[in-house]
Amino acid sequence: EAGVVQSPRYKIIEKKQPVAFWCNPISGHNTLYWYLQNLGQGPELLIRYENEEAVDDSQLPKDRFSAERLKGVDSTLKIQPAELGDSAVYLCASSLTTNEQFFGPGTRLTVL
Amino acid sequence: GENVEQHPSTLSVQEGDSAVIKCTYSDSASNYFPWYKQELGKRPQLIIDIRSNVGEKKDQRIAVTLNKTAKHFSLHITETQPEDSAVYFCAASLSGGGADGLTFGKGTHLIIQP
């Protein structure tokens, strides 16, 4: 069984530029999560999807961040415009409703 | 919202000794507590989890204990090996099923000295 797939693995952009991250969850997993992990810190939840519905986006900075999960499978997280403080690893995870969360390898974003 | 505190931030033990990492949580409604291991540059991987209806769970050299009254839980690793070196994160979830987003501690860097 393939794990959670994310791309790109690394992204370097200049501040004020837009950036997008893509996530393909484990087949059949209805719940998808985006987390942000700063260096030396634990992951912090940004948004959670149940199928195609965003059921918890309270921690998503909506002025510059947006996300979508069309058809309840793949998901895209976008930042526009990026700021220096957005440099971090963006992790995607998926789960069946009541089971463990499986994490992807993450996208390491560097904003210059 | 939930707040998870984790201690220590760094733990160095001799190979073969035991390691204990402790976490406290703030929301008494939390009832699912997983532990993740993250090696440098890798994804977090679940190593063990516990739900609030049990007080202890063991899997080979790894065990987790939960004290609901005191709102704290601990990870115990016995007979530590070099491959145990990594950052360990505790987490808590409100739903009990793990389907809710997890609130993580800040991590413990475990160093196994040869």
Side-chain angles (χ1 to χ4, degrees):
Chain A
E1 176 182 271
V4 176
V5 178
Q6 291 187 246
S7 69
R9 292 293 314 279
Y10 305 91
K11 188 72 176 180
I12 302 174
I13 61 171
E14 294 188 345
K15 63 181 180 182
K16 301 185 180 180
Q17 294 301 305
V19 64
F21 315 124
W22 175 81
C23 174
N24 178 240
I26 293 172
S27 178
H29 281 194
N30 56 314
T31 307
L32 183 146
Y33 318 76
W34 284 102
Y35 288 87
L36 176 154
Q37 186 174 26
N38 286 305
L39 187 64
Q41 302 291 316
E44 300 171 33
L45 181 70
L46 290 173
I47 189 168
R48 174 170 66 94
Y49 282 93
E50 294 287 347
N51 300 304
E52 67 275 7
E53 182 182 359
V55 296
D56 182 0
D57 63 356
S58 58
Q59 301 304 310
L60 190 71
K62 298 181 183 64
D63 56 336
R64 298 184 299 107
F65 286 64
S66 64
E68 61 183 11
R69 191 185 184 196
L70 300 177
K71 301 181 181 179
V73 181
D74 295 357
S75 178
T76 303
L77 178 69
K78 299 178 181 178
I79 308 175
Q80 182 172 9
E83 297 179 351
L84 294 177
D86 296 331
S87 295
V89 175
Y90 292 82
L91 292 164
C92 178
S94 71
S95 71
L96 290 173
T97 304
T98 59
N99 293 330
E100 70 174 279
Q101 295 182 27
F102 292 86
F103 282 83
T107 296
R108 182 176 296 277
L109 174 67
T110 301
V111 182
L112 302 176
Chain B
E2 175 67 280
N3 182 53
V4 176
E5 299 284 341
Q6 183 172 347
H7 299 281
S9 57
T10 303
L11 179 60
S12 181
V13 301
Q14 290 293 125
E15 181 179 350
D17 288 350
S18 296
V20 180
I21 302 170
K22 299 181 179 182
C23 290
T24 60
Y25 60 99
S26 61
D27 194 329
S28 57
S30 290
N31 49 15
Y32 174 67
F33 307 94
W35 286 87
Y36 283 83
K37 175 183 180 181
Q38 188 174 31
E39 297 177 359
L40 188 63
K42 302 288 183 63
R43 71 189 74 194
Q45 293 193 303
L46 181 76
I47 55 171
I48 196 167
D49 58 12
I50 191 167
R51 300 177 191 272
S52 59
N53 57 344
V54 298
E56 184 174 0
K57 184 177 179 180
K58 188 173 182 180
D59 182 4
Q60 299 183 333
R61 297 187 298 109
I62 295 173
V64 57
T65 58
L66 171 65
N67 184 325
K68 288 175 57 180
T69 302
K71 290 190 283 189
H72 69 70
F73 55 113
S74 300
L75 177 71
H76 304 253
I77 305 175
T78 59
E79 301 174 8
T80 53
Q81 301 170 3
E83 54 264 36
D84 295 329
S85 294
V87 178
Y88 291 79
F89 293 98
C90 62
S93 169
L94 289 174
S95 74
D100 279 356
L102 296 169
T103 300
F104 284 85
K106 292 188 175 183
T108 296
H109 186 192
L110 178 62
I111 302 166
I112 308 301
Q113 302 279 5

